[in-house]
C-alpha cells in the first residue's frame, strides 16, 4: 500500500492491526518526525517514505525481552554501555534513513540527531555499537537487505546481530579491520555460541523457553 500523505496512515493500534502488513507513505523527514511523535506503533523512514512493517507477535516480543536481558547480564561490568529497546531509533547519517532496531547498545553518551528545528532529538541516535534485529517472515528480506546495508554505513557500528523467531538461527555481521568488509558467522544449534562484541553467547541462552512448531 502506497499513499501520498502521512495523515492517511492508521492513527490507532486497532486501525493498524486491520491494515496491510506493510504500509508505505511518501513524506518529508520533517513529516516523519511529526508523525512518529504521535504514532502509537513503530514507523521507520526509508528513501523518502514512512514505512510501517507488520506489528510484532508474541514470539517476537518474547525474544526481544530475552535478548535485552542477556545483553544486560553480559555487559553488567561495562558501566559505559547503554542497552536500549525499539523506541530508540537508529538514524543513518549517510542516507538520512531512520530505523527501529529491536535492541541497540551504545558505548558512552548517545549521539542524538540534530533536528531541523535546531533541537536535539530524544529518540534518534547515530552512534550504536551493536544493533539487534529479530527476524520474522514478513521482515526478513528487508532486514537482511536494505536495512543491513544502511547499518554498515554507520561509522562506529561494530556488529549487527540477526535472531530468527521462526527457527534456531542467529547470524552476526562484524566489522573487520578492512574498510567495507564485514565478517558473517551463523549458529543453528542450542549448544552453539555466537560472539557478541567479543563475548560468547549460546543459542540456548537466547532461545530459553522459546518453542517452535
Amino acid at each position: 500500500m502506497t499513499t501520498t500523505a502521512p495523515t492517511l496512515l492508521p492513527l490507532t493500534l486497532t486501525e493498524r492491526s486491520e491494515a496491510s502488513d506493510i504500509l508505505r507513505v511518501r513524506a518529508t523527514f520533517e513529516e516523519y518526525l511529526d508523525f512518529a511523535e504521535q504514532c502509537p506503533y513503530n514507523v521507520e523512514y526509508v528513501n523518502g517514505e514512512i514505512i510501517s512493517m507488520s506489528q510484532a507477535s508474541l514470539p517476537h516480543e518474547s525474544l526481544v525481552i530475552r535478548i535485552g536481558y542477556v545483553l544486560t547480564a553480559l555487559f553488567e561490568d561495562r558501566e559505559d554501555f547503554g542497552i536500549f529497546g525499539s523506541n530508540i531509533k537508529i538514524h543513518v547519517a549517510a542516507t538520512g534513513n531512520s530505523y527501529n532496531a529491536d535492541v541497540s547498545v551504545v558505548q558512552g553518551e548517545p549521539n542524538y540527531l540534530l533536528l531541523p528545528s535546531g533541537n536535539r532529538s530524544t529518540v534518534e541516535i547515530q552512534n550504536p555499537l551493536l544493533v539487534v534485529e529479530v527476524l520474522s517472515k514478513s521482515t526478513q528480506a528487508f532486514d537482511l537487505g536494505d536495512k543491513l546495508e544502511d547499518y554498515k554505513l554507520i561509522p562506529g557500528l561494530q556488529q549487527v546481530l540477526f535472531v530468527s523467531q521462526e527457527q534456531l538461527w542467529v547470524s552476526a555481521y562484524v566489522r573487520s579491520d578492512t574498510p567495507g568488509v564485514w565478517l558473517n558467522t551463523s549458529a543453528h544449534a542450542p549448544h552453539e555460541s555466537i560472539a557478541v562484541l567479543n563475548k560468547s553467547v549460546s543459542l540456548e541462552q537466547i532461545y530459553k523457553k522459546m518453542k517452535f512448531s
Side-chain angles (χ1 to χ4, degrees):
M1 172 181 176
T2 301
T3 64
T4 57
T7 54
L8 297 182
L9 281 168
L11 296 178
T12 68
L13 288 174
T14 299
E15 290 174 347
R16 179 64 190 92
S17 67
E18 295 172 347
S20 304
D21 283 348
I22 301 176
L23 303 178
R24 297 175 181 268
V25 173
R26 297 296 301 177
T28 65
F29 188 64
E30 289 81 1
E31 288 174 326
Y32 154 74
L33 291 172
D34 288 341
F35 183 76
E37 283 189 2
Q38 61 179 312
C39 182
Y41 52 89
N42 284 335
V43 291
E44 301 176 310
Y45 188 74
V46 185
N47 299 329
E49 292 182 320
I50 298 174
I51 295 179
S52 170
M53 306 300 284
S54 58
Q55 297 305 285
S57 64
L58 183 61
H60 180 280
E61 291 302 278
S62 295
L63 262 178
V64 169
I65 292 294
R66 181 65 190 173
I67 292 164
Y69 170 80
V70 169
L71 291 179
T72 298
L74 191 67
F75 299 114
E76 188 175 19
D77 60 334
R78 294 297 302 265
E79 294 186 4
D80 58 332
F81 276 20
I83 299 169
F84 305 106
S86 62
N87 285 330
I88 297 299
K89 298 176 180 292
I90 309 299
H91 185 79
V92 183
T95 61
N97 295 334
S98 289
Y99 300 102
N100 288 100
D102 289 309
V103 183
S104 59
V105 177
V106 173
Q107 184 175 14
E109 293 297 321
N111 178 17
Y112 290 108
L113 175 68
L114 182 64
L115 301 175
S117 64
N119 298 321
R120 287 283 176 185
S121 170
T122 58
V123 297
E124 299 253 357
I125 64 170
Q126 302 177 98
N127 63 328
L129 187 68
L130 165 74
V131 293
V132 184
E133 295 285 356
V134 174
L135 302 176
S136 66
K137 290 179 180 178
S138 62
T139 65
Q140 182 166 320
F142 177 65
D143 287 348
L144 292 172
D146 293 345
K147 184 181 282 191
L148 174 58
E149 292 307 306
D150 256 19
Y151 281 155
K152 289 177 179 179
L153 299 176
I154 300 174
L157 185 66
Q158 295 303 307
Q159 185 172 10
V160 184
L161 194 67
F162 294 102
V163 180
S164 174
Q165 71 178 45
E166 309 292 339
Q167 59 182 317
L168 281 171
W169 176 52
V170 177
S171 183
Y173 287 81
V174 179
R175 186 187 297 274
S176 74
D177 293 332
T178 303
V181 175
W182 290 68
L183 306 178
N184 177 226
T185 57
S186 297
H188 299 82
H191 66 275
E192 292 183 326
S193 296
I194 199 118
V196 179
L197 296 179
N198 298 318
K199 290 197 175 188
S200 181
V201 178
S202 71
L203 265 64
E204 186 176 28
Q205 288 176 276
I206 294 173
Y207 286 100
K208 189 174 183 178
K209 296 185 179 180
M210 284 290 294
K211 295 180 180 179
F212 300 99
S213 57

